[in-house]
Amino acid sequence: VITNPDLVHVDQLMACILTMSARCEDGIEVMLHLLRSAKGAEMYLRKPELLNVPLGEPVSFALIAEQARLANETAIGLRLANGLPIMAPLPDMQLVLTPGDRVVVFAEDMAVTKARK
């Protein structure tokens, strides 16, 4: 029984990703590949603590992305507890994550590979 599912407004998320991709020539090729292919990575929302990202203290998105990389995932943004999506944040963007926040990642599997510390 799922008592508290993580919900994503797919239209809003795709609009953010497409807007981000349109700003970069290389991003368009990546998005076209992702839209055409049903194989490979999928998008998931991860609890920050599963990636060894501390809650309640300032962290950069670069640190979040590195922790995701250590778990063989690619962080592309965040979904804050209030529902606000932050896609393609700058690496030096400082954030204080809370228990309701989620890291948006591309991963090959729904199962989380615990990030190395």
Side-chain angles (χ1 to χ4, degrees), residues 25 54 68 70 90:
E25 280 184 31
L70 292 173
L90 295 174

Side-chain angles (χ1 to χ4, degrees), residues 35-54:
L35 291 171
R36 290 181 191 145
S37 173
K39 295 181 180 181
E42 300 168 345
M43 197 177 310
Y44 295 101
L45 297 175
R46 301 285 194 224
K47 293 180 180 179
E49 55 269 27
L50 290 176
L51 300 173
N52 291 325
V53 176

